[in-house]
Amino acid sequence: MTTTLDSPRRKASAYLYRKPRLRLSILLSAPMLWLGLAYLGALAALFVTAFWTTDVFTGQVVTEWSLDNFATLFSDAVYRTITLRTVGIAALVTVITAIIAFPMAFYMAKFASPRARRLLVIAVMTPLWASYLVKAYAWRTMLSGNGVLHWLLNPFGLDTPGYGVLATVITLSYLWLPYMILPIYAGLERLPNSLVDASGDLGARPFRTFRSVVLPVTFPAVVAGSIFTFSLSLGDYIAVKIVGGTSQMLGNVVYDNIGAANNLPFAATVATVPVVIMLAYLAAVRRTGALDNL
């Protein structure tokens, strides 16, 4: 025998069943609230802190609005150089990973057998299971003066690049390569083989097929991978500390001002630069229409 509460519950269930958007809104309310508080709230606090200053004598944060931090950031040539270096490293890492990832993903999607494809996907994802620090320090060991690269290149009269910008690019390219392979692989899986075959039947050479058929279809996937590699490289500060030598990136400036310098407002000011760059990058990508096809 049903209770008096069953009728309201049934009515509520029936109402929600007829309102799928309302049902979806209720389901997403908790994670969206968490996102708003934990992520967007933290970003808002970051931007507010960027307009504060630090007392040079006491080291205390002065909660008065000022543009001094931004004036220092834009007027000092050192920070302009670090910003350009960071953007250049992030862009170079993105290009290198895309060049390496595309043939690997193409083989996985179009030539490998189903069993080999599964094994290759596992092989690509395996480095993600290892610690970031373990991989970064492994590259530090390989790039050292008596490391593996020195042992391999020495017979040819060559030597390792040592620690610096090039070592940072190599390490970051290795670290973020899976984030480029997997989106491109997913995009190539959606590419019908009939399109490639039709292009060859019409007399197109391999490069023309790649430029006119394969690349336009997989361009959104490349953009998706570039968002990962570019943003992760833009905000990295650990790899350059380990293999970067004396070179600096924006992440190092943020880390040093939070730690040794104890200047949280200026660290927040510097941290806004990668955020603004990524927003500009996403806006540029959105204008190409690539994100609409993901």
Side-chain angles (χ1 to χ4, degrees), residues 177-196:
L177 181 60
Y179 295 97
M180 182 65 79
I181 294 176
L182 295 177
I184 295 179
Y185 166 70
L188 287 169
E189 269 199 323
R190 296 194 296 266
L191 174 66
N193 293 330
S194 57
L195 289 179
V196 180

Side-chain angles (χ1 to χ4, degrees), residues 87 89-99 101 176-184 218-234 277-278 281-282 284-286 288 290-291 294:
V87 175
I89 289 175
L92 186 57
V93 168
T94 300
V95 172
I96 291 174
T97 52
I99 293 174
W176 311 141
L177 181 60
Y179 295 97
M180 182 65 79
I181 294 176
L182 295 177
I184 295 179
T218 57
F219 181 69
V222 177
V223 170
S226 72
I227 292 173
F228 288 115
T229 57
F230 188 75
S231 62
L232 290 171
S233 301
L234 201 63
I277 292 174
M278 279 308 303
Y281 181 69
L282 291 174
V285 169
R286 182 61 185 269
T288 66
L291 296 181
L294 288 177

Side-chain angles (χ1 to χ4, degrees), residues 40-75:
L40 298 181
L43 277 181
L46 172 72
F47 288 126
V48 170
T49 308
F51 291 94
W52 295 345
T53 56
T54 300
D55 191 296
V56 295
F57 295 104
T58 64
Q60 299 296 317
V61 175
V62 180
T63 57
E64 296 180 358
W65 294 90
S66 174
L67 294 175
D68 292 347
N69 292 330
F70 289 95
T72 301
L73 181 64
F74 292 123
S75 62

Side-chain angles (χ1 to χ4, degrees), residues 163-180:
Y163 304 136
V165 173
L166 181 57
T168 304
V169 171
I170 294 173
T171 303
L172 291 177
S173 298
Y174 168 77
L175 290 172
W176 311 141
L177 181 60
Y179 295 97
M180 182 65 79

Side-chain angles (χ1 to χ4, degrees), residues 95-252:
V95 172
I96 291 174
T97 52
I99 293 174
I100 297 174
F102 211 102
M104 295 177 64
F106 193 83
Y107 176 81
M108 291 166 58
K110 298 302 178 185
F111 293 99
S113 64
R115 184 173 183 275
R117 189 177 304 158
R118 289 191 293 269
L119 293 175
L120 288 172
V121 170
I122 294 174
V124 170
M125 296 181 64
T126 298
L128 299 178
W129 303 342
S131 169
Y132 176 102
L133 291 175
V134 170
K135 293 182 287 187
Y137 274 107
W139 273 104
R140 179 179 175 86
T141 302
M142 288 189 290
L143 292 167
S144 65
N146 56 354
V148 176
L149 288 181
H150 172 77
W151 178 71
L152 291 174
L153 297 175
N154 191 50
F156 303 97
L158 303 174
D159 204 352
T160 66
Y163 304 136
V165 173
L166 181 57
T168 304
V169 171
I170 294 173
T171 303
L172 291 177
S173 298
Y174 168 77
L175 290 172
W176 311 141
L177 181 60
Y179 295 97
M180 182 65 79
I181 294 176
L182 295 177
I184 295 179
Y185 166 70
L188 287 169
E189 269 199 323
R190 296 194 296 266
L191 174 66
N193 293 330
S194 57
L195 289 179
V196 180
D197 295 337
S199 177
D201 293 340
L202 292 173
R205 295 182 179 275
F207 179 76
R208 178 64 185 274
T209 300
F210 171 79
R211 182 169 58 88
S212 302
V213 178
V214 178
L215 188 59
V217 174
T218 57
F219 181 69
V222 177
V223 170
S226 72
I227 292 173
F228 288 115
T229 57
F230 188 75
S231 62
L232 290 171
S233 301
L234 201 63
D236 189 271
Y237 71 96
I238 299 177
V240 70
K241 279 285 188 182
I242 296 174
V243 300
T246 58
S247 58
Q248 283 189 311
M249 295 175 65
L250 288 173
N252 301 112

